[in-house]
Amino acid sequence: MRFEAPTSVDAAIKLLEGEPGVVRILAGGTDVLVQLRYGQVEPDLMVDIKRIAAMRSIDEEDGGYRIGAAVSGIEIGAHAGLRKLWPGVVEAMELIGSTQIQGRATLVGNLCNASPAADSVPAMVAAEATCRIFGPNGHRDIPVHNLASAPGETTLGRAELVGSIYLPSRRPNSGDAYLRFIPRTEMDIAVVGTGVSLEMDLDGVCKNARVALGAVAARVLLVDEAASALIGSRVDAAALENLSHAAAAACSPIDDKRGTKEFRTKITGVLVRRTAQIALQRSQE
Amino acid sequence: MTQTHVSTIVNGDAVEFLCETDETLLDVLRDRLTLTGSKEGCGSGDCGACSILLDNRLVCSCLVLGVEAQDREIETIEGMASGDELHPLQRKFIEHAALQCGICTPGFLIAAKALLAQNPDPTETEVRYWLAGNLCRCTGYDKIITAVIDAAAEMRGNV
Amino acid sequence: MGTHEPAFDVVGTRPLRPDGVEKVTGSAKFGADLTAPGMLVGKILRSSHAHARIRSIDTSKAEALPGVKAVITCKNFDKAKISPAKQNILCNIMAQEKALYDGHAVAAVAAISNQIARKALRLIEVDYEVLAHVTDVEEAMRPSAPVIQDDMFTVGVTPQPTQASNIAKRSEFGHGDVEKGFSQADVIIERQFKTAATHQGYIEPHACLANVTQDGQGELWCCTQGHFMVREVCAELIGMDISKLRVTASEIGGGFGGKTTVFIEPVALVLSREAGRPVKIVMSRDEVFRASGPTSSTSMRVKIGAKNDGIFTACEAELKYQGGAFADSPVQLGAMSAFACYNLENVKTVGYDVATNRPKNVAYRAPGAPMAAYAVESVVAEIADRLGIDQLELRLKNAAREGTKSSYGPVFKRMGLVETLQAAKVHDHYSAPLGPNQGRGVASGFWFNFGGQTCVSLNINVDGTIAIAVGTPDIGGSRASMCLMAAEELGIAYDNVRTIIADTSSLGYNDVTDGSRATFASGLAIINAARDAKAKLCARAAKTWDIPAEAVIWENGCAKPAGANAGNFAPLSLAEIAANAEKTGGPIAGHFEVNAGGAGVSFATHIVDAEVDRETGFVKILRYTVAQDAGKAVHPSYVEGQFQGGAVQGIGWAINEEYIYGEDGKLQNPGFLDYRIPVASDLPMIDTVIVEVPNPGHPYGVRGVGETSIVPPLAAISNAVSAAAGVRLTELPMSPPRVLKALEDSPDR
């Protein structure tokens, strides 16, 4: 395995372009090194992006924040502005793994690993985050929701990599939240994850909402029907009940060691309601 | 296979080593630098027995490549005591019987040190969540939590 | 034997453990921490089929790979020369005609690097004929089930079947007439229970370093609970005289019963013999889960009858435990221990030991008892609720005491069950208020405790310090207890005593550290070795004073004349006698060898509060209290540690831990990510009450404490969760999906 640690995006893209074999990007390494250790992948080239300065920072941009691909969970959690703007996304990132994992794991890594159970992704999808993709022909921005195509697979083309995530500015009277269900209190992969972002008007009626679900389908789901259950309501008990039903109805999970279809579907209904309640509370703060 | 040359700092000393590109930092520490205090309990970041500080940040050394250590600073359990003088956490772990078999102890000590560096007065709940990535199968964690809280109190008193 | 309830000077205090500094500085050497010049890396190829006939293994490509120094298969072991008792061990460490479970070793390589060893494994071609498999205990017992061992004919039924099956053995215990007892009952409750298989979950994977030299002598360094056992088993499996194999126990990173057998050690020795170089094998975590130690999954039925006043009239249990591919389940111990907490006229337990396509079962902390206690104590709790009797009162009414004929035969000697129940009753935990969706459970538990073959040596150094050699590996701080007992007996300071774990060539045979025996048996041997040394010290003093040896006594660490008639001499301290030893007859040492009986039964009662999230089935443990009889707590901190550790392993077993097999018979969760042992944030502090009812079988009254603490938790937690949920749970683990399902199926909903 060839190991390279370029110091610019261009150099990284050139390395990717020049390698005909299996390539892996190394940011936090919390997924790829496990795959390496257990023989699930044998890359010909590993490109460490942590020495690219542009990928190491969190920058304010148009009232939102751009988060570099090599920024770790601990840095995201420590960023007061980010935490204030999108607390749900920050919490989702912080739920991933242990303190040790937080020292390394990145938002972009969580996204590009393309697991349907990735904690940060439903929160980012609810937040309408975009990711910036660099490649041989420059860069392009796409919604975070469009990056994963199937478990472990992305829409990235040859010699492309994700350089950053952009979390947009937030409207007044809006709030976001993310909750996941795990059997323990820490260290588990989400059995279900629910991200909700909503905007209320001055009369206390929900103007906009985005509801995203993790670990209940092959990809993270953005459920319009669930959002519709909130929009136009006061996010009261009846609306939350409708939200639960709509979210549960959208689930098409699998049975596996982490949960059954039946359990995942039920928990989605419970969790999405609790998440919306937190988002609502935040919109009023 | 051509090995890669890496220059780094381990426990304050400049160190150079050769390693395979796919070798973990844990394997480098244990097999090449004979620092066997860091343990491999899982190889997947789930047990914390290989915890080290990398540029002062708590990480699992099984989830870091040896080649990534270039120009970094590493602290392992072997660097925790100053000469003959144990770190307060090390002393409190012994005093409170916070270890039974001792295999997880180096990881817990490094993780606890990182905690107290950024939160000198943690609550029991904060200690428990911070250390959730360090598995102990012997003690039920009880005496570990007590030892960390007691060490924190002593360290605050010393400031 | 010995005095009862004596006053102690140092026993019962909490000094620093002698190996503490090594363990907090990272210098302690565990299984994987040793290296040797020229060392090779050993790796094992494992079956990914649950059940398959091995038609052939082609190792030629692996052998041809540069850097590979040895490749071995079952052909490198001489099966015909192995005794019947060890045939299963051989078949487990290297598959013979068939691979019997996902993870079963089929070949091994030794190479100059990790990378080359891994590559070599991929070059080994195994031709498998995949066979039907079975992993569930009930399914394995059906006549239509695939038969795993062609020569397994059920033992314990008459006439013995002539057709092979997966039922290895039926065993039965009890006395009286249960049918008559049930006919006298006012209330009878009968329930069916299931528990999932769990793993000991020690954090240190199995590791060893073997070196067999050209002259046929071998050295082995490994993490084990019993290096003498390792020596004896390995010597036989590889065809070596016992005297030619020296085994050194490394520090051991947890065992809990799982390191009481061999897995990789004979393989490393054979690889080393073939390669002519030292070979180190370290299991990866997935190998630990797939190929070492789990305990049984079970299916159990328990029936208890009681009078309206709560007195049990009859107790009956049928226990079915699967014991992996070789049917090594601890069901017999489960059947013996199931009702041991109770004084019963009519009791009957039947156990079935069943083979499945799972890893060979290895002991796990109080093997077999936690599951049986789970079923029994669940039904006991229901009887109490049905009759409106307080949980602890009902247990006190029926409790076994000194003189009770136990459910497994023997009459109990002095024991502390009642005292643990009383301690629980007066503990403020038992009467603390509970909130909504919270429930409290209690349960009692029993463990036999073992003694066994033990040999120690106690050497008196010229400066008056003591060097003790024991042969029972120290898993949880037992060296501190050994030093305390020697200091107590000799009347000297704790700091003047050092205890090491001697290698197999330096000490006589010692049984494995199991059955909670180390502090009991090695401690008993040390006390007696110290008494042996004291007699010799007195004789040396007598010689110095030129008076008869009988005229000298040992008091407060000194030899003294027995009385005025013996003469008027100033006392001679141990250090003074030691300094003069060369002139009075040479080195002074105490020895003791014993097959220790009298281990003394052990009981505990646990109280636990749990909260259930009625929408998700999530269970949170809020508060936990352990009351256990330690006989005499030699080092109370480490006794508490055993109580706490056992309770928390029980919490894991009760709530989340389980072996999950797919339809294909492969283990789905061979890692700490999805085999979910408790993490720090899952738990409350674990309160402990050390009850001390001296064991008449030990000079200081010590009872083993390591295992009993895992017996009550499964039941206590199930009782708490059932109380919180308002519905009786009957299957472990009580993972959120199961709890939610039970809540939904509950008639009250």
Side-chain angles (χ1 to χ4, degrees):
Chain A
M1 184 182 88
R2 194 154 61 97
F3 175 84
E4 299 287 351
T7 53
S8 73
V9 177
D10 287 351
I13 300 299
K14 285 214 170 62
L15 284 164
L16 299 182
E17 276 190 282
E19 175 57 56
V22 177
V23 180
R24 283 291 181 275
I25 306 288
L26 177 65
T30 54
D31 288 310
V32 74
L33 289 201
V34 178
Q35 293 161 8
L36 210 60
R37 171 72 175 79
Y38 284 92
Q40 292 151 1
V41 62
E42 282 183 61
D44 298 291
L45 171 67
M46 178 90 80
V47 179
D48 182 355
I49 57 169
K50 289 192 292 296
R51 291 178 197 265
I52 302 173
M55 295 202 183
R56 300 211 49 129
S57 61
I58 302 173
D59 300 311
E60 213 172 332
E61 186 180 309
D62 298 336
Y65 286 102
R66 182 164 297 283
I67 303 161
V71 175
S72 69
I74 246 171
E75 293 162 306
I76 290 170
H79 194 284
L82 201 50
R83 190 177 269 287
K84 188 159 185 292
L85 194 67
W86 291 104
V89 176
V90 173
E91 283 167 358
M93 184 64 210
E94 288 186 316
L95 285 173
I96 299 167
S98 58
T99 323
Q100 286 86 339
I101 299 293
Q102 284 292 309
R104 296 267 291 170
T106 65
L107 262 184
V108 168
N110 198 225
L111 176 64
C112 293
N113 191 49
S115 161
D119 282 306
S120 71
V121 179
M124 287 196 284
V125 169
E128 231 173 328
T130 57
C131 54
R132 179 159 293 173
I133 297 169
F134 292 88
N137 303 318
H139 69 77
R140 60 193 171 98
D141 292 342
I142 66 164
V144 156
H145 187 223
N146 294 348
L147 190 90
S149 53
E153 286 173 32
T154 68
T155 56
L156 288 173
R158 185 175 145 66
E160 283 190 326
L161 60 77
V162 177
S164 64
I165 300 274
Y166 179 66
L167 288 169
S169 65
R170 175 196 282 292
R171 291 167 197 274
N173 306 315
S174 66
D176 81 320
Y178 173 81
L179 290 177
R180 67 170 180 185
F181 184 82
I182 54 170
R184 291 181 292 189
T185 53
E186 277 282 354
M187 301 304 291
D188 292 329
I189 304 290
V191 177
V192 168
T194 57
V196 175
S197 174
L198 49 76
E199 181 191 358
M200 307 298 284
D201 69 16
L202 293 173
D203 300 325
V205 174
C206 180
K207 269 168 75 178
N208 283 302
R210 285 171 69 87
V211 178
L213 309 177
V216 293
R219 303 171 53 209
V220 167
L221 300 177
L222 177 65
V223 185
D224 291 339
E225 296 80 359
S228 302
L230 296 175
I231 295 168
S233 82
R234 294 183 169 276
V235 193
D236 51 14
L240 290 170
E241 188 65 26
N242 291 339
L243 168 70
S244 284
H245 287 300
C251 295
S252 55
I254 53 165
D255 278 326
D256 73 359
K257 61 196 169 192
R258 293 175 188 147
T260 60
K261 289 178 194 168
E262 189 191 4
F263 182 71
R264 284 190 155 113
T265 305
K266 276 181 199 150
I267 296 301
T268 301
V270 173
L271 225 55
V272 76
R273 171 165 47 74
R274 294 180 181 180
T275 312
Q277 284 169 308
I278 299 170
L280 173 66
Q281 198 187 334
R282 285 182 176 154
S283 75
Q284 295 158 346
E285 280 165 2
Chain B
M1 199 181 288
T2 320
Q3 297 194 335
T4 304
H5 176 267
V6 177
S7 305
T8 187
I9 294 178
V10 180
N11 298 327
D13 296 329
V15 166
E16 294 179 52
F17 58 84
L18 290 173
C19 72
E20 306 291 343
T21 52
D22 62 355
E23 206 171 320
T24 66
L25 180 55
L26 174 62
D27 284 344
V28 168
L29 290 171
R30 291 179 52 82
D31 300 341
R32 298 188 187 267
L33 305 179
T34 65
L35 295 170
T36 56
S38 306
K39 309 297 180 187
E40 177 168 313
C42 67
S44 54
D46 295 305
C47 80
C50 65
S51 296
I52 59 158
L53 299 178
L54 180 64
D55 283 348
N56 251 328
R57 187 183 291 173
L58 179 66
V59 299
C60 287
S61 58
C62 76
L63 295 184
V64 179
L65 290 176
V67 290
E68 289 184 73
Q70 177 69 38
D71 301 328
R72 306 277 187 232
E73 278 193 45
I74 293 164
E75 186 187 328
T76 70
I77 186 64
E78 288 89 348
M80 195 159 171
S82 344
D84 281 350
E85 196 177 336
L86 295 180
H87 187 281
L89 278 161
Q90 292 174 309
R91 242 186 319 102
K92 290 297 178 186
F93 266 56
I94 303 176
E95 277 175 37
H96 286 280
L99 50 142
Q100 285 178 30
C101 80
I103 193 87
C104 68
T105 309
F108 268 99
L109 286 166
I110 291 286
K113 187 183 172 191
L115 167 65
L116 300 188
Q118 61 101 50
N119 180 358
D121 190 12
T123 64
E124 182 196 328
T125 302
E126 285 169 340
V127 176
R128 286 185 180 278
Y129 275 87
W130 182 276
L131 295 176
N134 290 83
L135 298 181
C136 170
R137 191 59 158 173
C138 292
T139 64
Y141 304 102
D142 197 286
K143 294 184 188 300
I144 294 174
I145 306 298
T146 305
V148 172
I149 290 172
D150 193 21
E154 185 189 296
M155 288 164 72
R156 287 195 306 277
N158 287 349
V159 171
Chain C
M1 201 202 292
T3 49
H4 288 188
E5 300 176 43
F8 294 102
D9 292 324
V10 291
V11 161
T13 62
R14 302 174 186 240
L16 305 183
R17 65 192 282 168
D19 55 331
V21 171
E22 283 167 54
K23 289 193 173 149
V24 300
T25 55
S27 65
K29 295 287 178 219
F30 289 85
D33 295 343
L34 210 69
T35 51
M39 185 179 86
L40 302 172
V41 175
K43 289 209 178 289
I44 295 173
L45 182 69
R46 299 184 179 278
S47 168
S48 56
H49 300 292
H51 195 191
R53 193 168 304 285
I54 299 170
R55 291 202 195 97
S56 65
I57 303 178
D58 182 354
T59 59
S60 57
K61 284 180 190 156
E63 282 161 32
L65 184 70
V68 172
K69 301 298 177 185
V71 183
I72 64 166
T73 66
C74 67
K75 291 188 181 134
N76 297 76
F77 295 87
D78 194 350
K79 189 167 187 276
K81 287 195 181 151
I82 314 283
S83 65
K86 296 197 177 63
Q87 284 286 337
N88 284 351
I89 298 178
L90 174 67
C91 294
N92 188 50
I93 60 127
M94 195 57 75
Q96 306 288 313
E97 300 83 19
K98 292 203 290 184
L100 299 170
Y101 55 90
D102 168 37
H104 198 168
V106 295
V109 303
I112 57 169
S113 74
N114 252 313
Q115 283 83 352
I116 293 171
R118 278 205 300 264
K119 201 167 173 189
L121 288 188
R122 288 196 297 269
L123 293 173
I124 298 173
E125 291 167 5
V126 185
D127 182 12
Y128 291 109
E129 176 196 345
V130 177
L131 305 172
H133 66 271
V134 61
T135 55
D136 178 76
V137 60
E138 296 277 5
E139 282 173 29
M141 290 177 80
R142 289 195 188 119
S144 58
V147 173
I148 296 161
Q149 303 282 359
D150 298 335
D151 56 354
M152 189 171 280
F153 304 97
T154 313
V155 174
V157 293
T158 37
Q160 190 178 15
T162 52
Q163 201 168 351
S165 76
N166 296 323
I167 305 169
K169 189 176 178 182
R170 177 190 185 278
S171 42
E172 185 177 326
F173 297 90
H175 55 253
D177 179 348
V178 288
E179 288 317 315
K180 194 176 117 211
F182 285 122
S183 71
Q184 294 162 350
D186 295 319
V187 52
I188 295 175
I189 291 179
E190 183 173 13
R191 288 273 192 189
Q192 195 78 36
F193 299 88
K194 275 176 92 83
T195 67
T198 55
H199 193 277
Q200 296 83 348
Y202 32 82
I203 307 301
E204 181 198 32
H206 298 268
C208 70
L209 172 59
N211 190 18
V212 179
T213 46
Q214 279 72 9
D215 59 2
Q217 306 212 44
E219 296 230 23
L220 182 67
W221 161 275
C222 62
C223 54
T224 176
Q225 291 177 241
H227 43 312
F228 293 89
M229 169 278 298
V230 169
R231 177 187 63 173
E232 246 109 302
V233 173
C234 287
E236 182 170 340
L237 294 192
I238 70 170
M240 188 185 263
D241 291 344
I242 287 175
S243 65
K244 288 188 176 152
L245 181 59
R246 177 176 173 215
V247 183
T248 305
S250 70
E251 294 297 333
I252 174 172
F256 316 110
K259 290 174 182 167
T260 57
T261 185
V262 298
F263 297 104
I264 53 176
E265 296 83 358
V267 176
L269 284 163
V270 171
L271 283 171
S272 173
R273 185 165 64 191
E274 296 297 314
R277 286 166 67 169
V279 173
K280 177 153 131 182
I281 299 182
V282 181
M283 275 196 188
S284 60
R285 179 52 57 180
D286 68 321
E287 288 182 284
V288 172
F289 278 114
R290 287 168 72 209
S292 79
T295 191
S296 304
S297 58
T298 72
S299 178
M300 302 174 288
R301 182 181 59 80
V302 166
K303 183 177 177 185
I304 297 179
K307 302 293 269 185
N308 282 328
D309 64 1
I311 299 299
F312 297 161
T313 59
C315 291
E316 187 181 73
E318 184 184 55
L319 311 175
K320 299 166 183 173
Y321 288 20
Q322 66 76 21
F326 304 91
D328 294 286
S329 91
V331 70
Q332 195 160 319
L333 295 172
M336 290 165 77
S337 64
F339 293 106
C341 288
Y342 299 107
N343 177 19
L344 301 169
E345 270 184 38
N346 307 298
V347 56
K348 178 182 171 186
T349 52
V350 175
Y352 294 96
D353 187 6
V354 181
T356 59
N357 293 110
R358 293 186 184 223
K360 183 173 166 53
N361 266 204
V362 184
Y364 179 20
R365 205 170 196 161
M371 311 81 135
Y374 159 62
V376 167
E377 290 291 287
S378 292
V379 176
V380 169
E382 269 198 273
I383 295 260
D385 287 344
R386 180 82 62 88
L387 294 175
I389 299 175
D390 173 79
Q391 291 288 344
L392 293 174
E393 265 319 306
L394 180 73
R395 287 170 172 83
L396 279 165
K397 273 175 191 271
N398 291 287
R401 290 154 207 264
E402 184 173 355
T404 296
K405 181 179 166 59
S406 70
S407 58
Y408 60 97
V411 173
F412 283 130
K413 295 188 180 142
R414 194 164 176 205
M415 54 175 272
L417 173 61
V418 166
E419 288 81 353
T420 69
L421 286 161
Q422 285 163 342
K425 210 171 162 189
V426 300
H427 198 286
D428 65 0
H429 182 174
Y430 194 59
S431 50
L434 288 166
N437 298 316
Q438 297 179 354
R440 178 165 298 141
V442 299
S444 295
F446 156 85
W447 184 244
F448 307 88
N449 284 342
F450 299 158
Q453 301 187 78
T454 310
C455 170
V456 303
S457 156
L458 183 152
N459 292 295
I460 296 176
N461 303 320
V462 288
D463 62 355
T465 61
I466 307 295
I468 295 173
V470 300
T472 43
D474 175 358
I475 313 190
S478 61
R479 269 169 291 206
S481 300
M482 304 301 164
C483 294
L484 278 167
M485 286 183 273
E488 182 74 46
E489 192 62 33
L490 293 169
I492 59 171
Y494 167 82
D495 288 338
N496 287 350
V497 188
R498 181 157 186 260
T499 301
I500 61 126
I501 315 302
D503 67 65
T504 55
S505 298
S506 308
L507 200 62
Y509 180 84
N510 276 270
D511 281 336
V512 174
T513 294
D514 67 0
S516 300
R517 72 176 217 92
T519 300
F520 165 77
S522 282
L524 176 148
I526 283 170
I527 293 164
N528 282 291
R531 288 175 181 175
D532 181 34
K534 282 196 296 190
K536 290 169 183 166
L537 288 161
C538 288
R540 298 296 177 92
K543 200 169 176 185
T544 306
W545 295 327
D546 198 19
I547 62 174
E550 310 84 73
V552 180
I553 56 161
W554 191 264
E555 216 175 83
N556 298 325
C558 296
K560 290 177 182 169
N565 292 343
N568 186 17
F569 301 102
L572 276 174
S573 71
L574 186 146
E576 287 167 324
I577 299 169
N580 214 26
E582 188 180 359
K583 292 174 196 147
T584 57
I588 307 170
H591 299 277
F592 198 70
E593 296 87 32
V594 66
N595 189 351
V601 290
S602 170
F603 292 88
T605 299
H606 291 197
I607 314 171
V608 56
D609 295 350
E611 184 174 276
V612 172
D613 182 334
R614 302 188 76 87
E615 289 186 322
T616 64
F618 185 88
V619 170
K620 182 171 171 56
I621 302 299
L622 303 169
R623 187 170 179 184
Y624 205 107
T625 303
V626 176
Q628 183 176 322
D629 178 16
K632 174 68 200 172
V634 178
H635 192 307
S637 297
Y638 290 99
V639 171
E640 291 161 3
Q642 290 296 323
F643 292 4
Q644 292 162 335
V648 168
Q649 287 184 356
I651 289 171
W653 197 335
I655 296 179
N656 270 316
E657 292 179 32
E658 63 179 315
Y659 262 49
I660 303 170
Y661 279 92
E663 301 258 302
D664 56 3
K666 290 186 194 176
L667 184 61
Q668 302 290 298
N669 57 336
F672 280 135
L673 183 60
D674 288 299
Y675 183 88
R676 304 181 191 98
I677 76 172
V679 300
S681 51
D682 293 341
L683 301 164
M685 300 305 266
I686 309 293
D687 201 358
T688 56
V689 181
I690 300 176
V691 172
E692 294 187 320
V693 178
N695 169 21
H698 185 279
Y700 292 172
V702 171
R703 298 176 195 269
V705 295
E707 291 170 290
T708 311
S709 54
I710 202 175
V711 183
L714 314 189
I717 296 161
S718 183
N719 290 338
V721 172
S722 298
V727 54
R728 173 55 52 182
L729 278 294
T730 57
E731 189 170 352
L732 299 185
M734 292 177 287
S735 54
R738 284 211 183 95
V739 174
L740 192 61
K741 183 99 180 36
L743 281 163
E744 285 168 355
D745 294 346
S746 139
D748 303 339
R749 191 170 168 108

